[in-house]
Amino acid sequence: MSRPRILTGMRPTGALHLGHYFGALETWLAHQDDHECYFLIADYQALGDYSDQVDLIRDAVRQVTLDWLAVGLDPEKAAFVVQSYVPEHAELTMLLSMVSSYRDLTRNPTLRKEISQLEESKKRVTVGFFTYPVSQVADILLPRATLVPVGVDQAPHLESTNKVAKEFNRTYATDLFPEVEIKVGRVPRLVGTDGQAKMSKSLGNAIELRDDASTLKRKIKRMVSDVTGENPRLSATAPGVPEYNPAFLYFDALLGEGSDEARDLRARYEAGTISDGAVKERLLEVVDGFLAPIRERRAELEADPGYVSDVLHEGSRRERVLAAETVQLTREAMRITDY
Ligand code: TRP
């Protein structure tokens, strides 16, 4: 019996942080045993946006792979794939673009937001970037995946995937492409250390998976304890409002929302029996306890520079077998194999 298939991925733009872990990686880990998994490093997608920063992308491909390995994703169980190593990603993108709606593309809210951010920062918007949602549809349909564990911001792309698959199946009277389902992680959007809605490397408010103990200490020390500036705490031992303090969202993520300790910390904060400083001290212990084994594993892996490269070539080779089959079936459905 074949296992249900997952395809999911990330753009290689830098090392990963806690937001990636609780929004996605945790779910990937939970599924790698009972699903046939393809974890994609979407380098084309990054190039559409950072074409002038090839060194950054090259480094990020390695960083992302190291982070995946360090958190326990296992290349023996799941194929780690580089988008550009499997030319079928490009070919299927071309084929599916023939049934993808231009109108839908221009209305994709995630794409629109990204494009306006590029325009605000006076960056060029390339055609490759504009059409990346089509290539993302192809990424997902290439292994004919049925489950895609990703962050909430990816939902419009999943909607497009189902639309395009349906349109293709209808147009060419086939049932080649299955319906896919999104699976959002336990913490869809982790707040940043500055209390901003989203942890992000570019906002400088991220705790990275590779941060060492002293970096971590510095970041937590600087963390805001009151996002509103209205916390009615008049002294370290006055009643506090946990909702104003991002530390409590981190406790929920790291210890589990319903855990005794997360609830106890909240209760003590509300009662004014724990200071902001003591909250941070405990947070540092908890985060460091979480990151220490990841950091250690990463250091081991970094000692063998050939390993990352092998993992990516091997995983891509594995996906390619299936990819070639899908492209052949797609071409047959479109009746372009023989004129
Ligand atoms: N758009 C995703 C991101 O920005 C990366 C990605 C590319 C992806 N192809 C995918 C995610 C296919 C899920 C499925 O991180």
Side-chain angles (χ1 to χ4, degrees):
M1 271 297 284
S2 64
R3 293 169 296 163
R5 284 183 199 137
I6 282 181
L7 180 131
T8 186
M10 290 180 179
R11 266 179 214 168
T13 55
L16 305 182
H17 53 63
L18 289 178
H20 292 111
Y21 187 87
F22 293 107
L25 298 177
E26 191 183 49
T27 323
W28 302 13
L29 279 164
H31 284 84
Q32 66 175 348
D33 290 305
D34 54 1
H35 284 68
E36 184 179 319
C37 293
Y38 298 90
F39 299 142
L40 183 74
I41 302 207
D43 59 339
Y44 283 146
Q45 212 176 92
L47 281 160
D49 174 2
Y50 292 82
S51 55
D52 53 343
Q53 296 181 58
V54 177
D55 289 332
L56 179 146
I57 293 173
R58 291 181 58 82
D59 180 57
V61 170
R62 299 194 73 84
Q63 299 304 330
V64 168
T65 310
L66 285 167
D67 284 330
W68 287 2
L69 292 165
V71 300
L73 293 175
D74 182 352
E76 302 280 322
K77 295 178 185 162
F80 290 20
V81 179
V82 177
Q83 197 177 25
S84 67
Y85 285 179
V86 182
E88 285 80 3
H89 279 279
E91 186 168 3
L92 193 63
T93 301
M94 167 60 83
L95 298 177
L96 293 180
S97 72
M98 307 308 171
V99 292
S100 299
S101 156
Y102 168 75
R103 199 182 163 84
D104 288 349
L105 186 57
T106 59
R107 290 180 170 179
N108 181 311
T110 297
L111 180 67
R112 284 176 77 118
K113 192 164 153 231
E114 289 165 326
I115 288 182
S116 57
Q117 282 165 353
L118 288 173
E119 284 172 343
E120 267 165 37
S121 55
K122 305 262 182 283
K123 279 187 73 174
R124 252 155 45 97
V125 179
T126 63
V127 172
F129 190 78
F130 173 63
T131 58
Y132 93 75
V134 182
S135 84
Q136 186 154 339
V137 168
D139 295 339
I140 295 166
L141 295 180
L142 191 59
R144 283 165 278 153
T146 53
L147 191 65
V148 184
V150 277
V152 261
D153 55 326
Q154 302 295 301
H157 302 324
L158 270 287
E159 238 173 80
S160 304
T161 305
N162 282 328
K163 263 194 166 171
V164 171
K166 234 189 208 157
E167 185 61 21
F168 184 92
N169 289 348
R170 194 191 59 75
T171 306
Y172 297 109
T174 173
D175 56 5
L176 180 58
F177 295 117
E179 197 169 325
V180 302
E181 207 187 304
I182 186 170
K183 175 134 193 175
V184 174
R186 183 161 61 93
V187 185
R189 224 175 240 122
L190 191 67
V191 292
T193 52
D194 57 355
Q196 285 215 49
K198 198 178 168 186
M199 186 175 277
S200 140
K201 193 185 173 80
S202 56
L203 294 174
N205 64 6
I207 293 177
E208 293 186 6
L209 300 176
R210 63 176 180 181
D211 281 347
D212 60 24
S214 67
T215 308
L216 201 57
K217 196 168 179 179
R218 180 170 47 78
K219 288 184 178 175
I220 290 181
K221 204 168 168 188
R222 283 207 209 128
M223 240 176 100
V224 299
S225 296
D226 174 11
V227 291
T228 62
E230 292 167 12
N231 205 338
R233 287 201 112 184
L234 297 172
S235 73
T237 50
V241 182
E243 285 66 36
Y244 293 167
N245 188 337
F248 291 94
L249 294 171
Y250 292 1
F251 284 131
D252 287 346
L254 288 146
L255 302 167
E257 207 169 328
S259 71
D260 289 347
E261 192 185 353
R263 291 190 7 205
D264 176 58
L265 283 161
R266 231 171 238 275
R268 282 161 64 198
Y269 197 65
E270 277 165 346
T273 56
I274 185 169
S275 69
D276 286 330
V279 167
K280 284 190 175 184
E281 254 168 57
R282 182 62 192 138
L283 183 64
L284 178 59
E285 283 169 9
V286 170
V287 180
D288 194 50
F290 176 75
L291 292 184
I294 296 175
R295 203 186 285 143
E296 220 167 277
R297 173 111 183 83
R298 206 177 199 279
E300 284 166 24
L301 294 159
E302 272 174 327
D304 179 3
Y307 183 63
V308 163
S309 161
D310 291 348
V311 161
L312 297 176
H313 281 292
E314 168 57 21
S316 302
R317 197 190 54 72
R318 252 156 61 201
E319 192 203 42
R320 203 165 173 200
V321 178
L322 181 57
E325 185 188 276
T326 302
V327 165
Q328 178 60 21
L329 292 170
T330 308
R331 294 175 59 97
E332 282 169 11
M334 295 173 80
R335 292 182 290 144
I336 57 173
T337 49
D338 179 39
Y339 282 102

